[in-house]
Amino acid sequence: MEVIHPSVKRARLDAAADPDAYWAGQAEGLPWFRHWDRVFDWTPPTFRWFEGGLTNLAYNAVDHHVLHGRAGHAALIGLHESGERRTFTYAQLLDEVKRVARGLRGLGVRRGDRVAIYMPTMAEAIFAMLACARIGAIHIVIFAGFGGSALAQRVRLAGAKVLLTADRTQRKGKTIWLMPIVEKALEQMQVEKVVVLRRGEGQPDLAAGRDIDWPDFLAGGEGQSDAYEQMESNEPAYILATSGTTASPKLAVHVHGGYSVGIHSAARVVFGMKPDDVWWSTSDIGWVVGHSYIVYAPLLVGATTIAYEGAIDYPSPNAFYRIVERERVSGIFTAPTAVRMLMAHGTQAAEGCDFSGLERVFSAGEVLNPPAWEWMQKELFQDRIPVIDHWWQTETGGPVMANPWGIGLSPIKPGAAGLPIPGCFCEVRTPEGEPVPDGEKGILVLTRPFPSLTPTIWEDPDRYASEYWSRIPGVYFTGDAVHRDEDGYIWFSGRADEIIKIAGHRIGTMEVETAFLRNPAVAEAGVTGRPDALRGEVVSAFIVLRAGHLPSEEMKVQLLRTVREELGALVVVGEINFVHSLPKTRSGKIMRRVFKAVILKMDPGDISTIEDEGSVEDARAAWQEMQGQIDG
Ligand code: AMP
């Protein structure tokens, strides 16, 4: 029996027969000021899509809808955990974007200049992103949870002229002051101007000559032009540092043309996004998901997008469900860490909340472990709507592996990220580049560029060539360990360099973590390999128990039994450490190298060649925290 939905099968076959024609067809769905001369030019290691085409990401996202009868449709709903709610129609959004565009021009920002945005997920930050794209300036958003060194490092790498910031953000009711962090960063970086959005009471003083108050910044743009620039398809729209699961930060480049086409196509093919959707990505504008699926793609589609500043379980565990109910959210994009957090609160947190408007939920960022998937799909949603895992990276701009709900849902296999979407092509290879048969583990490579794939690293084309296209010559190296099953689904087992080798068997970190999560006492699990004289490596596990369960020797025995039942005797667990939280990256991914540093009693900075100041800071802090928990 054919497993894959017939429409998906057809789309994949059509795209495979003529990928350029497929992507040209997808590009026709967006406005162009000038049609491209050539769909695709691949001159390794880089490539160009829609060459000669003139377009503008921000025009397509905002002006186009205003000009086509949708001026009054809600574009953006800005929510704050305190309960503040602001909505902007497409016409209002356009006005706001134009104001910021004039302000930027008033500061002397021109096409090609870089503008750093160190702000939480709030409306003004989104106006700023769109305003940069509008005038052809290149934005670099830095997650507002990063410290001063990480901020400075990213601003320096980008060579940003101006920094836009907010004086504060809030999380779980706690005010986080951003200005002292900016001050610290300014000791290590140079920008011409700092524009500060001061919010609420107790506003910080501004440094004369350097800082500009947001209202003055807007006023300073009076008389400036707010016209959009016509950008060649391959000109950068923004750059963004990869999140720091890898070595030193790299700035991925995303361009006006290819990126628009790629994320708009995936919005429809994968997410089935449509103009009457109320779309909520629970991510942050500091990450690529925030760029693509809080800001740009929902607006390209003409939908209503929610930008939420705060924690999704604050002020109460039902905060998430209340937003879904109140805003009549129809599509959600979230991450496994959020799903596991909701799971830990249990279905009782959702009692009495109406989410009948919700049609589908997507997750990406890490594997959505089957126990977490089952809880959400079956217990929480009673199988009424699909919960769909899908895979991508900062560099891919949008989804690559998915079960494309928008064109036809194939059976969901919990734990698998789906198939390469139409127009994307992958293979599973050994580190030496040999093909790996179905069912066996290897490294995922992408064999052909697609429009939203980053075509270079900002000012470092050599690094782009060596890190992505040369490890296995001629293909894009994702660094993820996977296997493909008989139906073509791709199963992710973790980063390739985190694979645990027990007596010659290669086990993915995620397989062992999922096995632990099968035990109902477990809220979160993280594992790493520990050297073992006899077996090469054994598993070292870090376990967070759910409320109501206590660490004990008996609990360890129970957990070992669960893992043995799930994975067999092959997986030897050397030790179980009970902890009250796991070390995570700022984007919520488990930092497994911190486990390794803890068990090997090493400095986390030495575990791999991390040069990312943000990551080293995070890893050290997490290491100390872990060490304390374990010693205690
Ligand atoms: P980032 O560029 O920070 O978004 O991280 C990309 C990495 O996150 C990928 O290379 C994977 O290791 C991991 N990742 C993202 N989505 C998934 C998923 N659905 N399943 C497994 N791993 C994922």
Side-chain angles (χ1 to χ4, degrees):
M1 199 192 77
E2 184 53 66
V3 170
I4 310 302
H5 191 288
S7 308
V8 176
K9 197 171 168 207
R10 207 175 320 116
R12 294 178 74 217
L13 284 173
D14 287 352
D18 190 345
D20 291 1
Y22 174 79
W23 286 116
Q26 297 297 302
E28 298 290 357
L30 285 171
W32 294 86
F33 306 123
R34 179 185 186 276
H35 198 272
W36 55 88
D37 301 315
R38 191 171 173 193
V39 179
F40 179 50
D41 169 59
W42 191 4
T43 312
T46 194
F47 48 83
R48 295 166 68 80
W49 282 96
F50 313 110
E51 215 168 16
L54 295 181
T55 188
N56 181 297
L57 177 59
Y59 171 92
N60 297 350
V62 189
D63 299 56
H64 178 70
H65 303 297
V66 175
L67 293 173
H68 289 81
R70 300 184 53 76
H73 187 73
L76 174 64
I77 303 177
L79 301 178
H80 188 272
E81 63 171 24
S82 65
E84 182 193 90
R85 178 180 191 275
R86 296 185 292 163
T87 59
F88 302 87
T89 63
Y90 275 91
Q92 289 167 329
L93 179 60
L94 180 57
D95 281 347
E96 298 288 352
V97 171
K98 283 182 173 174
R99 284 215 293 164
V100 179
R102 291 193 294 268
L104 288 170
R105 283 196 170 123
L107 292 183
V109 174
R110 298 287 174 262
R111 184 173 178 146
D113 288 342
R114 274 80 61 212
V115 174
I117 302 175
Y118 181 62
M119 297 174 82
T121 299
M122 61 187 300
E124 284 76 4
I126 294 174
F127 306 155
M129 292 165 74
L130 289 160
C132 287
R134 179 176 191 86
I135 66 170
I138 301 166
H139 62 70
I140 170 161
V141 180
I142 298 115
F143 176 60
F146 273 125
S149 305
L151 168 61
Q153 189 182 26
R154 284 157 176 75
V155 169
R156 280 198 312 265
L157 276 173
K161 191 167 176 172
V162 172
L163 172 68
L164 308 182
T165 190
D167 64 349
R168 71 192 83 177
T169 179
Q170 182 180 312
R171 199 163 174 85
K172 296 208 170 194
K174 202 172 141 245
T175 300
I176 299 156
W177 292 95
L178 300 179
M179 275 314 275
I181 301 173
V182 170
E183 294 289 345
K184 182 171 172 223
L186 282 164
E187 293 166 9
Q188 308 163 46
M189 68 182 190
Q190 276 186 327
V191 290
E192 288 174 16
K193 290 286 173 209
V194 179
V195 180
V196 187
L197 180 70
R198 294 190 288 179
R199 326 163 71 186
E201 296 182 350
Q203 300 190 342
D205 293 336
L206 300 182
R210 183 196 71 194
D211 298 349
I212 306 174
D213 206 12
W214 197 273
D216 295 338
F217 156 66
L218 296 179
E222 272 163 32
Q224 295 285 336
S225 157
D226 54 30
Y228 52 80
E229 294 277 333
Q230 299 197 3
M231 308 300 290
E232 200 277 337
S233 171
N234 297 283
E235 285 183 83
Y238 72 80
I239 50 185
L240 181 64
T242 56
S243 69
T245 34
T246 47
S248 67
K250 302 173 272 223
L251 303 185
V253 173
H254 286 299
V255 299
H256 279 265
Y259 174 75
S260 301
V261 172
I263 63 167
H264 180 248
S265 167
R268 292 178 311 157
V269 169
V270 176
F271 306 131
M273 216 186 276
K274 51 195 182 315
D276 61 2
D277 266 322
V278 177
W279 183 261
W280 185 19
S281 287
T282 66
S283 183
D284 186 286
I285 55 158
W287 313 126
V288 69
V289 175
H291 285 65
S292 298
Y293 293 102
I294 293 176
V295 182
Y296 289 117
L299 298 178
L300 287 173
V301 168
T304 304
T305 189
I306 293 180
Y308 178 70
E309 180 182 3
I312 60 168
D313 59 346
Y314 182 86
S316 67
N318 73 3
F320 172 81
Y321 305 106
R322 286 285 172 221
I323 291 175
V324 176
E325 174 181 69
R326 201 179 52 233
E327 305 299 342
R328 297 292 293 170
V329 172
S330 56
I332 289 178
F333 185 143
T334 190
T337 178
V339 176
R340 292 191 299 258
M341 196 249 292
L342 294 172
M343 177 168 83
H345 286 305
T347 48
Q348 61 272 24
E351 264 164 32
C353 296
D354 169 17
F355 25 82
S356 55
L358 192 60
E359 295 169 359
R360 68 286 199 204
V361 175
F362 294 88
S363 163
E366 294 180 286
V367 171
L368 182 58
N369 310 83
W373 177 85
E374 272 159 30
W375 173 80
M376 186 169 254
Q377 169 87 40
K378 295 188 188 301
E379 279 190 51
L380 181 67
F381 294 128
Q382 305 276 313
D383 265 337
R384 190 184 65 77
I385 55 165
V387 175
I388 302 171
D389 190 3
H390 67 302
W391 176 95
W392 46 305
Q393 301 179 313
T394 303
E395 296 87 337
T396 68
V400 181
M401 308 291 154
N403 191 335
W405 183 82
I407 51 174
L409 189 69
S410 305
I412 295 178
K413 300 192 189 192
L419 318 156
I421 63 173
C424 294
F425 306 94
C426 77
E427 284 176 18
V428 186
R429 302 267 188 96
T430 65
E432 294 72 40
E434 298 301 319
V436 169
D438 283 353
E440 283 179 30
K441 249 180 229 130
I443 294 172
L444 180 75
V445 300
L446 309 178
T447 55
R448 190 180 199 276
F450 43 85
S452 66
L453 183 65
T454 184
T456 192
I457 293 299
W458 181 253
E459 292 196 327
D460 204 349
D462 293 344
R463 186 158 177 208
Y464 179 66
S466 64
E467 290 199 9
Y468 296 105
W469 292 95
S470 309
R471 297 213 184 168
I472 299 178
V475 292
Y476 173 98
F477 186 88
T478 66
D480 281 343
V482 298
H483 75 270
R484 178 165 47 198
D485 73 12
E486 65 284 4
D487 299 317
Y489 285 54
I490 304 291
W491 298 72
F492 285 81
S493 39
R495 294 292 293 172
D497 54 10
E498 289 174 349
I499 289 283
I500 305 173
K501 296 181 204 83
I502 306 174
H505 299 282
R506 294 159 55 77
I507 321 280
T509 46
M510 112 85 187
E511 291 156 276
V512 187
E513 289 161 7
T514 296
F516 275 108
L517 283 169
R518 283 281 171 212
N519 190 301
V522 176
E524 289 215 275
V527 304
T528 187
R530 193 191 56 177
D532 179 82
L534 188 62
R535 302 178 183 86
E537 278 188 306
V538 293
V539 171
S540 178
F542 294 77
I543 303 295
V544 181
L545 293 175
R546 287 212 213 183
H549 299 273
L550 293 174
S552 66
E553 286 308 309
E554 166 56 23
M555 178 61 78
K556 283 191 184 174
V557 173
Q558 269 186 39
L559 296 182
L560 290 176
R561 198 178 305 133
T562 307
V563 173
R564 180 179 276 250
E565 278 165 18
E566 289 293 315
L567 298 175
L570 174 96
V571 175
V572 182
V573 178
E575 71 204 23
I576 294 180
N577 303 287
F578 292 109
V579 290
H580 52 70
S581 64
L582 295 182
K584 302 240 176 99
T585 63
R586 304 288 169 112
S587 65
K589 294 185 212 287
I590 298 172
M591 280 198 282
R592 295 182 186 81
R593 73 187 134 74
V594 172
F595 301 141
K596 199 147 236 160
V598 167
I599 54 171
L600 299 180
K601 302 205 183 317
M602 285 171 72
D603 184 302
D606 298 334
I607 281 292
S608 63
T609 49
I610 341 170
E611 297 151 42
D612 180 354
E613 290 162 25
S615 295
V616 174
E617 276 172 27
D618 285 357
R620 289 231 169 82
W623 185 87
Q624 270 166 356
E625 159 83 13
M626 284 267 109
Q627 198 69 57
Q629 292 186 40
I630 290 178
D631 294 345

